[in-house]
Amino acid sequence: MSLLLLLPFAAGAQNEFEVDYGRPQNYLLGGISVEGNHYFTDQQIIQLTGLQEGMEITIPSDAISSIVSRLWAQRFFEDVSVEIDRFSEARDSVFLKLCIEERPRVSRWTFSGIKKGEQKELMDKLHLRRGGEFSDYVQEASTDVIKKFYDEKGFLNATVKIESQMDTVIKNATRVNFDIDKGKKVKIKTINFIGNDDVKEYKLAKSMKKTKSNKWYNFFSSKKFNPKEYDNDKKGLISAFNEAGYRDARLLKDSIYYVEPNRLGIDFTFDQGDKYYFRDISWTGNSVYPTDVLNNILQIKKGDVYDVVTMEKRLMGGGKQTEYDVSKLYRDNGYLFFQVTPVEMNIQNDSVDVELRIREGKQATLNNIIINGNDLTNENVVRRQVFTRPGYLFSQSDFERSIREIASLGQFDPEAIMDGTKGYSIIPNELNNTVDVVYNVTEKPSSQLELSGGWGGNTFVATVGVSFNNFSTKRMFDKSAWRPVPLGDAQNLAFRFQTNGTYYTALTASFSEPWLFGKKPTSLNLSAYYTRQTDSYLYLNILSHDKMMEIYGFSASLGNRLKWPDSYFVLYNGLSWQSYKLTNWFSGYFFFDDGLAHNLSYTLALSRTSYDQQLYPRKGSEFSASLQFTPPYSLFRKKDWGNLDSAGNPKPVNSWRDIDYDNWDTKHRFKWIEYHKWKLSGATYTNLVGDLVLMTRAQFGYLGYYNRNWGYSPFEGFLVGGDGMSGYATYGSEIVSLRGYENYSLTPYQASKYNSNGYAYAGNVYDKFTVELRYPVILQPQSTIYALAFLEGGNCWADIRDFNPFQIKRSAGIGVRIFLPMVGLLGVDWGYGFDDSTKGGSQFHFVIGQQF
């Protein structure tokens, strides 16, 4: 930077003039010219100086110096100078010339030494653009941002080398490259606590959420050192002392040092002080709820340890989901502006008197309910899910329930809506006692397309399927909505076709409407299916229809959300019909080989689902109990087809108990099958540490009969063992996975005179217990991946009289689940069955869809 007041010399001596720097003089500014500019116009640069033609200036003066400083501060120029171009003939006006040298502009920013994903993240953080200037400030600021970015990832020794070279194509432009060497990730090896005489080391270690050593109990936690989180975790250490009653605890010093290359040791030294206890606790300002009600929630009595942390959680929230707090008590009743302040009134020896001062405020009414981000899904779909309605009193529980309902809808990213920083906003207005609630949803792909082919059983099987999980029947007659199909109403329309030619063909179609007529949460589910399997084998060049199995059916159900016991309960009523037509079909799969059987059944199911999201639930539960039954045909029969008269007609009997079905043929015995089927299932999800989730599940199923003489139904039984997939999509049995064992291997057999094999599957009772640890790898709208480890046990029996819940087949293993929006849920498990050497042992299982 330079300030030059130069006097140009004319050709003749008579035009020479001098400026006396010792005697500043005032001039009128006759004009300004600019020299050396390429990117900025003359007018843009003159505006930056603040000079205007005709204004009075003093030469020399600090004002001229400030012009140079002002231009230099813009960081667009490498050199700036101000020159006197000329004076007017009367020497009362001066003409100035601004001589500048612009910095070269950056034509391209690049990175080397790092992955493409990290390059994109850094570009977003650095806010670099083509055509920007390249100054010392930009270099320093960019280096700081890059180092901070890698510090947060645990790369504390990352180095940044900035390389620039002139662009040979673009004039006065340069190319800048950030050469980054991340180095190795720095992790914490040991953490030592000094001075914690009465607070256990484990409790202190647990209080730090992001700063973890390599102790065994931190197996699922990251050991990287993050300077930003480290400062927050130091506050957590003091909270651990406060929770134990040490209100005066102090962190005297902390030391960070290398114990070996890329491994840190941390020492914390404390002065824990004295231990305190609660003495007298009083409330002031509470008019809505009496003191007894508030004390019942606070659950602190005289003589308890002075645990400030727990007291604040029970006052303001922040504890476990199942714990109620005073703030939520008020906020559930509309008192959004409620405040409570604990004040230490007296400290005597080791006792503390506390006064809890309440400011209740007025009840807040919901005003605007705003939904953002639903670019595809109709706004009404979201509004009908939420429990916050304009004109209602604000309720914290209703708001939390609304978040859960949106997260479990399936059309939006559940992680985004549950993020308190950007997923939602509560905007109170204490002036008029109203509150606006904003839900910021993020659309995610929900429709799925399946195009697959596989080789199995010495034949090729092709599958084509499509599932539109956000279908809209309302928009079917809107031509502009067919892109490729009308979407937006959260309905589900699915078709699936599977075949290998003449041997196997299966077609299914289904439709579901979660809100029938759009008024109440009543769901409608419809499905139809057809399956055909023959004895044709292309690889043996056998084309035969002499042996065939055909199954076709239809089902319809309604689900109603209940208000009692609570709104998480749903009652389902369903009607289904299936027909099974077997022609010389020998397989051991069914109880008979030839015949036509009809299954007309009614299902009544009660379920309660309260988990927070579908794909990776962290908390909540799901329970269900169902009864599926057919009419008891055998109880109304008065003729015995096993005892015919001379004309071939069945003889009448006095009672249905007198009929012996052992002599009946297939046509009459199984024409209308009968049964009652009971199922119980329960699962809980518990967030252990961070995103580590414990899932526990128990299941029970029983297929009963009305008439022991008629016996168990040949259909609707249970096939237990293996991956839980049917291979070919047949119907007639419920397949239950039990990893670590071969498919169906735990299902008992039963002798059958109607079957050419002499036996058939007879799984009429089963139980199953699962404990599963889950940990996410990726939780993004584009994909969800989590790893799991499981313990599992279960068994299957042919008769309820043989049922023994403790006689289970055990297994253990590990697996992974991958959810892709266009494909659905995929997975692979390795399990080891412990209790049957012939059916168990080491087994790999591939999973498509959710298995239960």
Side-chain angles (χ1 to χ4, degrees), residues 541-645:
N541 199 26
I542 298 176
L543 298 176
S544 171
H545 291 82
D546 297 335
K547 301 175 182 178
M548 182 183 300
M549 173 193 69
E550 290 182 288
I551 303 174
Y552 40 92
F554 174 81
S555 66
S557 66
L558 289 174
N560 296 283
R561 182 190 293 171
L562 306 181
K563 295 182 179 180
W564 185 89
D566 61 37
S567 58
Y568 290 105
F569 280 88
V570 177
L571 180 65
Y572 290 94
N573 292 269
L575 184 67
S576 64
W577 164 75
Q578 296 93 27
S579 288
Y580 305 90
K581 184 179 181 181
L582 306 181
T583 305
N584 195 26
W585 188 257
F586 63 94
S587 65
Y589 188 88
F590 294 115
F591 196 73
F592 58 89
D593 290 345
D594 286 280
L596 177 64
H598 302 289
N599 177 12
L600 178 63
S601 66
Y602 187 84
T603 300
L604 187 66
L606 181 66
S607 67
R608 186 184 189 276
T609 303
S610 63
Y611 52 67
D612 55 346
Q613 57 169 288
Q614 291 180 338
L615 291 181
Y616 192 77
R618 295 180 175 85
K619 56 187 177 183
S621 60
E622 52 180 331
F623 297 94
S624 67
S626 67
L627 169 62
Q628 181 181 1
F629 59 93
T630 66
Y633 304 105
S634 66
L635 302 186
F636 305 115
R637 291 194 179 110
K638 295 297 180 67
K639 296 180 179 181
D640 186 355
W641 284 95
N643 187 9
L644 305 179
D645 58 19

Side-chain angles (χ1 to χ4, degrees), residues 52 80 119 150 193 264 324 411 421 466 536 564 595 629 634 666 669 691 694 725 769 802-803 849:
Q52 293 181 0
V80 179
Q119 294 180 24
Y150 283 106
F193 302 102
L264 294 178
Y324 212 56
Q411 315 303 329
T421 61
V466 62
S536 299
W564 185 89
F629 59 93
S634 66
T666 303
R669 181 171 183 177
D691 287 327
L694 174 68
M725 296 195 300
F769 308 93
D802 300 326
F803 173 64

